[in-house]
Each structure stands twice: as structure tokens, then as C-alpha cells.
Amino acid sequence: MPLALPKCYVGNEPRAWQIEALAAWRAHGRQGVVEAVTGTGKTTVGVLAAAAAVDAGERVMVLVRALVPGSG
């Protein structure tokens, strides 16, 4: 049976590897690291994971490091 996408997810159709990554994340206690080259869709996997948590009634916080010019 194929993995169901989170109900609240409204993005583009995920690639097969992204669905597999989400399934692996779920199977490993919702923990893991996504390693892939730039531009391949790591953010989509994160959004899918966040959407799955929202579907489960959990709260989600996304933190993004902002680079300030000159701060290295």
C-alpha cells in the first residue's frame, strides 16, 4: 500500500525518493537526516514531515538561520 501524503500538504507531487524518505523518517521514530545534493528537494521532505505532524495534531516550529552580511 502506498504511503499516504499528509492531508494538509498542498505542495507539488513529491518525487518517489521524497516519499521513501518520509516513510523512513516515520519508521525511525520521526527522526533522521536527509542528505541530498543542492536543488533536489530536501525542503519538500521537511515540509512533508511538518505537515504529517500537523495532521497528527502536533505543533510545528521551523527555525531558519539567517545569514547577516559580514557575519561569516
Side-chain angles (χ1 to χ4, degrees):
M1 178 175 165
L3 177 72
L5 294 179
K7 291 180 177 124
C8 69
Y9 177 72
V10 294
N12 294 331
E13 184 68 28
R15 297 178 183 122
W17 79 264
Q18 292 167 317
I19 295 170
E20 290 171 14
L22 181 63
W25 172 79
R26 287 176 171 165
H28 289 93
R30 296 170 47 186
Q31 298 181 50
V33 175
V34 177
E35 290 186 79
V37 299
T38 302
T40 57
K42 296 179 296 292
T43 300
T44 298
V45 177
V47 170
L48 287 165
V54 170
D55 279 1
E58 297 177 14
R59 293 165 50 174
V60 175
M61 179 188 311
V62 177
L63 301 174
V64 179
R65 180 175 177 234
L67 296 178
V68 178
S71 68

